[in-house]
Amino acid sequence: MGISRFQRFFFKLNRFREKHLNRQQYLVILGGLVGLASGTVAVLMKNLTYFVQSLFFVESSSYYDHMYKIGLPIIGLVLVYFFKTRLIKSEIGQGISTTLYAISKRKGLFKYFQTYASLIAAPITVGFGGSAGLEAPTVVTSASLSTRFSRYLKLNQATKTLLIGCAAAGAMSSLFKAPIAAIIFAIEIFSLDLTLVSMIPLLVASVSAILTSYFFFGNDYLLQTQITDSFSFSDMPLYGILGIFTAFISIIFSRIYISIFSRFKRFSSKLNRALIGGGCLLILMLLTPQIYGEGYALINELLAGKHFTATENYAFNQFENIWTVIVFLMLLLFLKILASSITIAAGGVGGIFAPVLFIGSIAGHCFGMIINQLKILNHDIALSNYTLVGMAGLMAGVMHAPLTAIFLIAELTSGYSLFIPLMITAAISYMITQRFQKHSVYHLELAQRGDLVTHNKDQAVLTLMEIEQVIETNFCILNESMTLGEVVKEGVVKSSRNIFPVVDHQQQFKGIILLDHIRTIMFDQDMYNKVKVYDLMQSAPDVIDLSSCKMSLIMQKFQQTEAWNLPVVKEGKYVGFISKSKLLTAYRQKLIEVTV
């Protein structure tokens, strides 16, 4: 009864929309609702994490008082393991990559548990000290909620994808209170088309989410800074060098992240992954407990110029030599890369957004301190500026999102006086990193499988198409041992097609027979028992392997062979044919479907 009323409600809602709202107005309203939901998710995610942290983490001036915390990440990873294996009995996925996969291969739909799984697992991971961020789990939870709306409202795939973008924009806007950067993040990461139709819902979602954040958090910001020194032309070479430096660190981050993931995949037991990962984190945190959690506290200390206090009262006593501080911070940078990669690879639920900001802030701050110590300029530079620009450089390199990096830092500083340095560093970092690391860590796995949706419209449409929908199976199958008489009786007479697949007794595909090639002999009954299919068949121009071929490769095969039909096999066994005409028709339909 409840389900029936629920369905009737949405039926009436759709009828009302059809009568009183045009499509643009409808999208704006949906964008606002998704933004509110995303803002609420962000608030819940943060508060749940703070609650978990408050149970274990208290301010202390003694290093030994921190020792009891060292084992907490192991407990957190094990709890997440049992949550995934005993309760939801499925992998949750890694935030942005999960969302991108839902867009490319699941028609913008998520599994039901993804609407709440990250909301539980991420606060446990980060709250117990796992070295990861909450941004990606917030995005995937918000995006999953948006697809719930889409299913109930019977929306097409283009609108589903747009609402996922609205959810991502809303989540980032609420977390950082940077609405413009949030919109650009959704466009860059999820390859949304930048049109007026899509821009207005994204804007409304971003604004409604940030209003939700202001309602619950007031004027509190994750990153607190104030620009003290404006950009001068003489600083431009330094920001260019900083771009090269952050590109170098970005490449190291990506390589280490990928390497650690591949190593942890070798452990067949996921419980072993959690225990080994937790043990590795224990060792790392014995050296530098600063890598606990997201790390925004240390970023704010660096932005305030407190690099001495950032290293005191932990495993080491307070440093008094500035070069020792630089060496320690660089060590902390590399250990944070290891800790973040291990946290996620070991089964923790979190993202790399916060770790990237953490690492970028250290890179920029250390770069600035080195410049000041070497007296390269006749005056000391503002370390907070280089700390901020360093964050932008690393975001541009690791995430391949230079525009997001530029606008996020510009909005966080409440002004655009650093806009030129941000552009210089982000652009250089992005261009160098992309040269050595073609895809970001968000996109790499999907790109390797050929499932990545990009801003290339043609490539995006091919990625979204499903091979199974264009396979035709109404062909008469011939066995290679059949005679010409059997071909005529079982194939030509019964089939309306002019091509026949040939298989052996194990259904392994062997070749094809074209009606045109047997037309001259098929009426000669004297040859019916003399000629075998094996003698008549020929090799196909090419073969489509269902287990490995993607749509882009299939289209390429048709262009190279100039064939009208190509056979499809799976593990060598015949499945059907794909025709060029049906493929192009499906392409046109998908293009219309995904165009907002």
Side-chain angles (χ1 to χ4, degrees), residues 10 65 75 82 157 195 244 295 302 489 518:
F10 280 99
D65 289 340
I75 299 173
F82 282 111
Q157 185 169 351
T195 64
I244 298 172
L302 294 181
K489 182 179 179 181
I518 64 171

Side-chain angles (χ1 to χ4, degrees), residues 139-374:
V139 168
V140 72
T141 303
S142 303
S144 182
L145 281 174
S146 76
T147 61
R148 296 293 111 188
F149 295 153
S150 301
R151 292 187 67 177
Y152 297 143
L153 297 173
K154 309 299 182 184
L155 303 177
N156 60 29
Q157 185 169 351
T159 307
K160 290 176 187 175
T161 303
L162 176 59
L163 291 186
I164 289 174
C166 290
M172 298 303 292
S173 177
S174 180
L175 289 170
F176 290 99
K177 295 184 178 176
I180 303 301
I183 295 172
I184 296 172
F185 171 82
I187 293 170
E188 275 194 305
I189 300 299
F190 297 104
S191 301
L192 299 180
D193 289 332
L194 185 58
T195 64
L196 185 62
V197 174
S198 62
M199 178 58 74
I200 302 302
L202 286 169
L203 180 61
V204 172
S206 186
V207 170
S208 61
I210 197 173
L211 290 176
T212 305
S213 180
Y214 274 114
F215 179 80
F216 287 99
F217 293 135
N219 291 320
D220 291 339
Y221 286 82
L222 282 176
L223 301 178
Q224 299 155 7
T225 185
Q226 185 176 0
I227 296 176
T228 59
D229 188 17
S230 60
F231 169 73
S232 63
F233 186 78
S234 61
D235 295 333
M236 187 172 68
L238 293 178
Y239 285 110
I241 297 172
L242 179 57
I244 298 172
F245 182 52
T246 53
F248 173 72
I249 296 175
S250 298
I251 294 169
I252 292 175
F253 183 105
S254 300
R255 298 288 170 84
I256 291 176
Y257 185 89
I258 294 166
S259 175
I260 288 178
F261 254 85
S262 64
R263 291 176 186 276
F264 269 82
K265 284 183 178 179
R266 297 174 186 174
F267 299 109
S268 57
S269 170
K270 294 178 181 178
L271 179 58
N272 286 343
R273 293 183 196 177
L275 293 173
I276 293 171
C280 292
L281 291 177
L282 185 151
I283 296 171
L284 295 176
M285 291 177 184
L286 281 172
L287 295 173
T288 53
Q290 295 98 322
I291 61 179
Y292 264 80
E294 296 177 281
Y296 286 115
L298 184 134
I299 296 175
N300 285 320
E301 286 183 342
L302 294 181
L303 289 172
K306 300 177 181 178
H307 38 257
F308 286 107
T309 59
T311 59
E312 68 179 354
N313 298 327
Y314 286 90
F316 304 93
N317 294 325
Q318 181 175 352
F319 298 119
E320 296 181 358
N321 183 282
I322 192 68
W323 287 107
T324 309
V325 171
I326 292 172
V327 171
F328 178 81
L329 286 175
M330 290 303 297
L331 172 66
L332 183 61
L333 181 154
F334 286 103
L335 292 183
K336 183 67 173 181
I337 295 175
L338 288 173
S340 300
S341 304
I342 290 171
T343 298
I344 300 173
V349 177
I352 63 167
F353 203 101
V356 165
L357 293 178
F358 182 100
I359 295 163
S361 68
I362 294 177
H365 198 85
C366 288
F367 182 85
M369 285 195 293
I370 293 171
I371 296 299
N372 284 339
Q373 290 303 302
L374 295 178

